[in-house]
Amino acid sequence: MRLSSMFSPTAAGLLSITLSLHSLKVQGVNFTPVPSPNLDLSQLGRVAIAGDFDAISLYTFQQQNENSFSTNGSQSLLTQMPNGDFATLASADASIEAMCPFVMKDGTLVGIVVGGNFTSLGGMEAQGVALYNITTAEITTLPGLSGSVSALYCDSTTSTVFVGGEFTGANSTNAVAWVGTAGWTNLPFAGFNGPIQTINKAPNGNIIFGGSFTGLGNASGIPNVPDQQVINLSTANITAGGSGSTPGFSDPKSIICSTSGESGPGQTWLLADDTPGFWQAEMNFGYQPTKLRVWNTEQNGQGTQTFRFTALPISGIMNFTYTATNGQTSSCTSQCPLNASNTQYTDFHFVNVIGMSGFRIDISDWFGSGGGLDGIELFQDDIYAYAVSSLDEPACGVSQFGSNSTATGPWQATPSNQSSSEYLTANLTGPGINSNSASVTFLADIKQPGNYTVTIFTPGCQQDGTCDIRGISNVTGTFALSTNPSQPIQTSIFQTNDFDKYDQIYHGYVDAGSGSFRPSITLSPLDNQNTSISLVAQRVRFQLDSPTAGGLNGLFEWNPNQATASTDYSNSTIDTAGIGLHADALIMSVEVVGQTTYVAGNFSGDGIENIFAISNGNATSLPDTGLNAAVASTFVYGDLLFLGGNFTNTTNPGTAGLNYVAMFDTSKQVWQALGNGVNGQVTSMVPLMLNITNGQPETCITVDGIFNEVFASGSSPAFAATDGFAVWVPSHNNWLQNLNIQTMAITGQLSASTNISGSTPLLAGTVSAQGMGLSDAAEFSTSGSPSLNSLGIRIQPQQVGSPSQRKRAVSGQNVTGAVVGLFDTDNGRNTTIIGGHFTLVATNGSNINNLAIINSTSNGTQSVVGIGSGLDDDSVFLALATQQDTLYAGGTVTGTLNNADINGLVLWDLATSNYVSPQPPAFTGSSVAVNAIAVQPDTSNVYVAGSFDTAGSLNCPSICLFANGQWKQPGTGLGGSIAALTWQGDTQLLAGGNLTVGGNATTLATYDTTGQVWTEINGASNVPGPVTAISAANSDASQFWVAGKGTNGSAFLMLYDGTNFQSVGNTLGKNTLIRGLAVLSLSQDHTATNLVPADLSLLVTGQLDLPSFGNASAALFNGSTFSPFILSNSGNAPGSISQLFTEYQQTFSASSGSLSLGAVVGIALACALGCIFLIVLAGFIMERRRRRREGYRPAPQNYYEKTSANMSRIPPGDLFRNLNRNQPGPRL
């Protein structure tokens, strides 16, 4: 059980805490460059990648990642790295709402004050506020507040940080100050009776507070009838010491709910004679009691004379006040007296209200032969209702309408652990979670109508290990009868807090409970949470607000040089401006531009709507009376005031395009539109530095909210903003997405920023960002260090849709984006072809689906075209190849051309830009997909492979040969599905997939085009699953790499060295999906290994899970280590790269890798023959020399008998006739 919030210095009345307390040293962030990959792409011509991404970066700093932005309400402190990407400095468990640099009078930067709705920052408990040191990365918590912080203002002239929000701290409510190193200090007016949303400094040096309040002072009130709620003792663990043994009088539990004042068996607890003792109660929840009620006993003349009360677990002896027998108020500590008679209880009021979870009453003196008690009750001011009903007011309580709750759904009680009480947990399975899946309704025991602050408590997720699955709750409440000015409320609360937190969900009037009405709050899951979640419900509190000094209306100006706050508001233009607004004004923003103060929010007044200006002692409306709905956020950029909110125009319509965002030129006093605005509410506007013009950083403005489209304006089309995020570029007066420039990609949410002198701005939020906003295809620069550039197209990825989910036949993976690409330079063309499942806009403005052809010219221009109509829009291209002027495009391709069905493959004439006619007969099968196409070297033969049964009427499962305009079956005995092909020389074709050869299952087979025979690769049984990617590892591909997913669901990567398969081991995470492999040359050798030669590196693409790093879209493998190479994102998820494609094939040097088995045998044979020849030659020479020494002479070389006279030709006929004649036997 956790009670720190109740035992905090705030509860104990401590006014200040030194800065040195509770600091946590967090690892500082150094932007560490990663070593160069040393790739040499120069021999490959043009090089590009295809995949499913909309943001991409080369991995250049160790702090880069593919992380998605959080959708559970948690945010982080962020800063930008030199390449523009974001680095996380410290993560919070909830939102960060405000930041400011805390600079002392002497110019010393103490750190950045961070405020929000979090309970932890950087892994350390921090309730709503903390200090971040930008030099050391040290986080210093500033304990003492309970609640959330929404506004900060750091005033260097007084070394003070003004803090506002919805909290209690010191003896203040909703506003307090941190002064120098002294710590928390009450403001002279002790805060406000409502939440603060904004704090700023007026031109005259005064501090302006804005929010939703009507008066000054601590908001916690004293009820007309205090001590309203009975604390439940019936479920407590009751123990006692020194109890007597008399039957019926020894049970300490007998005095719980015993309020009649009568003594007797089962109603009285007695101590043993002449023995001191104690009575102790320990609960599984925390509370702050205000009154103790005790009934003394007079059983057999016994009774308690004096006692002391000890709070547990702090073991603190409490001070009380009570009414003595003479009617005077008295106090007591260790010897609190009781009357001898039990006819009337005695009430003891706590002098200090603190938190506890148990207590002990020690009886030190007694009447008669021993002490005892007839009854005991404990009360508190605040009104609670618990989700665990056994913690609510006891049935024996004095209230007719006691607090209670009802629950529906799969709730289970969870122990309190470090929390303040037990709570309920519901584990819900998505998708389809809605408010009917589970709910808890809290009914509060309200005895006195009035203005209350209503708070809901959420236990921390660390204690029960549910931080990864905590969901979002939907909270609704009804607080008053329809005849009173209270409307039902609805709010969403993220439950991902690491530690216990509370959220104030309502400030306003609450009716007392009756037989016909009960104030109620219902907690249920927010609709449309598609993943399985854990939801918790603990308790709600109703706290009566004090009737503080009123007269204000959302605005208050205070002179920090004065020790007191005047309640004569007529002397302040700002105060009177707020008072002049209609009641219940909500001030969201106060901005100062020059000598003018701009106030914005949700309010109205005479000729004023939602925004007005204060200057020269007067409050004036803006042109056209302001805006027609609330303003939620503002940002000042020079003379321009940017605003976001729920408005769609000025109050008196005068400026078109002010849809939820607007710009007010303070120098010209005119409204201006941001394009044509967006289609939904804007909640925040935060500045961000981006490289826009000539690579120079400039201020842009991020716009966040509940919208999904940016409207078209002028020549700029509308574009999707799925995550409610867009960027406005003031220098171009346009949205970033409309600019034809190459810049970083960012999505998510930014909630706050602060400038730091001499340092990079600090940001708060949750974002997913990469260095470049490129979709699905990008090209490498092949000179110098690799860099990525646009191919000149903007691909819009599509989701593969119903009715047929197109999938890769082998991997079972949904395919979106660009899957495959090639460069075509035949016959003078300079063409790039991209295939997959996507849409893009052609040069002529038409839409292109799934296959794009980019024709480039020598003068640098290009045209983007598609292929003709006839194919279905949901086709997916998975394989491409060219043979002379013909493009072979395969995949899950369907359609009709010239009344003929297309299924799996289509041919396109690149010379005439028309479909080839006639098309090859279509493939058939249960799930047709062409996954690979290979053109045989120096021939016109095209091998097409995948998942199919026949080509037209020809039976050719898995692979077919297209030659001379017709299909042929290459060999027999092969079945299954092929995912990849590569040539091993000119006549050996290697196929990988989920195969059978002669009925035997395998993953790899070769086809001899000469003998037309399929053969299983020796050792293929060691490959743990279907092969989905192959890459040659040497010049003839006798060595090669294979990858896929094993039958156990894990990715594998193996090298075939010509004899055996060698695995890289369990070096990739379980979520890895390998989609492509490529062996690349290096400009600088690494240490050679058995797997990868020193001058080569293996590029692995896909969705990779690198255990020592995280997600990556491409990595380089040097034979021992995977190094991230390319990072990408697709939407709010990691992206993927399907393949690298090049203009020229990779060539291998003689030193690259070991020789194949055939080469080794050939060289060995040559060496052996050479040695034999040398031995024979040496012997011949030695023999000649010997004979010469012994006098031998050459024999005559002329054969005188061989003259024309005795030479004759033998006719062939005679020769062959004599071959079959019987020869005479030998002569003896």
Side-chain angles (χ1 to χ4, degrees), residues 129-466:
V129 65
L131 186 74
Y132 178 79
N133 188 307
I134 64 171
T135 302
T136 65
E138 183 180 62
I139 294 174
T140 303
T141 63
L142 309 177
L145 300 188
S146 295
S148 63
V149 170
S150 303
L152 295 167
Y153 184 81
C154 292
D155 185 14
S156 60
T157 62
T158 59
S159 300
T160 301
V161 182
F162 296 98
V163 182
E166 296 182 87
F167 57 78
T168 58
N171 287 328
S172 294
T173 301
N174 300 327
V176 71
W178 183 282
V179 178
T181 58
W184 295 120
T185 302
N186 287 315
L187 296 170
F189 47 89
F192 300 89
N193 66 350
I196 298 299
Q197 299 293 339
T198 180
I199 306 173
N200 210 334
K201 195 171 189 177
N204 62 4
N206 290 345
I207 302 300
I208 306 172
F209 296 86
S212 177
F213 55 85
T214 59
L216 304 175
N218 193 309
S220 180
I222 299 175
N224 293 338
V225 181
D227 317 317
Q228 297 182 77
Q229 189 168 50
V230 179
I231 297 172
N232 195 339
L233 301 180
S234 62
T235 58
N237 179 31
I238 306 299
T239 57
S243 297
S245 58
T246 304
F249 296 93
S250 60
D251 185 3
K253 296 180 181 179
S254 63
I255 64 174
I256 297 176
C257 284
S258 179
T259 59
S260 65
E262 296 180 0
S263 300
Q267 296 178 299
T268 300
W269 168 70
L270 297 177
L271 288 173
D273 291 348
D274 298 318
T275 303
F278 68 87
W279 188 94
Q280 181 169 305
E282 293 179 285
M283 289 81 130
N284 53 3
F285 61 96
Y287 48 89
Q288 292 179 289
T290 56
K291 183 176 71 176
L292 171 70
R293 176 171 290 175
V294 180
W295 283 265
N296 202 358
T297 186
E298 53 182 6
Q299 178 71 30
N300 299 328
Q302 294 180 233
T304 298
Q305 186 172 359
T306 59
F307 72 92
R308 71 171 181 267
F309 183 102
T310 303
L312 302 176
I314 63 173
S315 299
I317 299 174
M318 303 305 297
N319 298 329
F320 291 106
T321 62
Y322 66 98
T323 302
T325 54
N326 60 6
Q328 300 296 313
T329 299
S330 299
S331 62
C332 65
T333 303
S334 59
Q335 291 185 324
C336 293
L338 287 176
N339 297 327
S341 171
N342 72 334
T343 58
Q344 180 66 41
Y345 55 76
T346 303
D347 284 343
F348 295 87
H349 295 275
F350 288 81
V351 174
N352 298 309
V353 178
I354 69 168
M356 61 188 73
S357 63
F359 63 92
R360 187 174 68 187
I361 293 176
D362 288 279
I363 299 174
S364 55
D365 203 358
W366 48 87
F367 298 107
S369 60
L373 295 172
D374 275 351
I376 186 169
E377 277 190 319
L378 209 57
F379 298 83
Q380 62 187 1
D381 280 346
D382 292 339
I383 301 166
Y384 288 90
Y386 291 86
V388 178
S389 57
S390 61
L391 307 182
D392 281 316
E393 288 182 286
C396 60
V398 297
S399 176
Q400 181 181 0
F401 306 106
S403 296
N404 60 74
S405 64
T406 58
T408 62
W411 297 99
Q412 298 290 330
T414 302
S416 59
N417 297 313
Q418 290 91 36
S419 188
S420 57
S421 72
E422 284 185 306
Y423 54 93
L424 297 181
T425 300
N427 294 313
L428 307 176
T429 303
I433 296 173
N434 56 48
S435 58
N436 295 321
S437 301
S439 68
V440 173
T441 298
F442 301 90
L443 299 174
D445 180 14
I446 304 297
K447 297 182 176 68
Q448 175 184 335
N451 290 325
Y452 284 79
T453 296
V454 182
T455 303
I456 190 165
F457 293 78
T458 304
C461 62
Q462 283 192 355
Q463 62 184 341
D464 58 17
T466 60

Side-chain angles (χ1 to χ4, degrees), residues 502-531:
Y502 70 78
D503 291 277
Q504 295 178 4
I505 60 174
Y506 177 72
H507 297 273
Y509 182 80
V510 178
D511 259 329
S514 66
S516 59
F517 175 78
R518 296 288 302 278
S520 66
I521 296 173
T522 299
L523 181 149
S524 61
L526 188 68
D527 290 346
N528 301 319
Q529 297 181 71
N530 293 323
T531 58

Side-chain angles (χ1 to χ4, degrees), residues 979-980 1027-1031 1041-1044 1074-1077:
V1027 169
T1028 57
I1030 301 175
S1031 176
W1041 286 93
V1042 296
I1074 298 175
R1075 301 183 67 184
L1077 301 171

Side-chain angles (χ1 to χ4, degrees), residues 52 798-816 837 872-878 891-894 903 926-929 931 947:
D52 183 12
Q798 298 181 0
Q799 292 298 321
V800 181
S802 299
S804 60
Q805 285 286 329
R806 304 302 186 114
K807 298 183 179 182
R808 287 196 76 161
V810 174
S811 67
Q813 160 204 7
N814 284 334
V815 177
T816 60
H837 191 70
D872 296 334
D873 288 345
D874 65 347
S875 294
V876 182
F877 288 94
L878 304 173
T892 53
V893 183
T894 58
N903 196 9
S926 60
S927 180
V928 171
N931 297 321
S947 176

Side-chain angles (χ1 to χ4, degrees), residues 25 85 192 301 329 338 381 387 456 558 589 721 726 816 887 920 933 962 1044-1045 1048 1088 1161 1206:
K25 195 63 174 290
D85 286 357
F192 300 89
T329 299
L338 287 176
D381 280 346
I456 190 165
W558 175 63
S589 173
T816 60
L887 170 66
I933 304 173
F962 190 74
K1045 191 169 283 288
N1048 64 354
V1161 173
N1206 60 9

Side-chain angles (χ1 to χ4, degrees), residues 1033-1034 1039-1041 1054-1064 1086-1096 1098 1117-1121 1151-1155:
N1034 60 359
Q1039 298 177 34
F1040 53 86
W1041 286 93
M1054 307 181 80
L1055 172 69
Y1056 183 69
D1057 63 9
T1059 304
N1060 299 306
F1061 284 93
Q1062 300 183 50
S1063 172
V1064 302
H1086 60 74
T1087 303
T1089 68
N1090 292 332
L1091 295 174
V1092 181
D1095 62 339
L1096 298 176
L1098 176 66
F1117 181 63
N1118 64 5
S1120 60
T1121 304
S1151 62
S1152 295
S1154 58
L1155 296 172

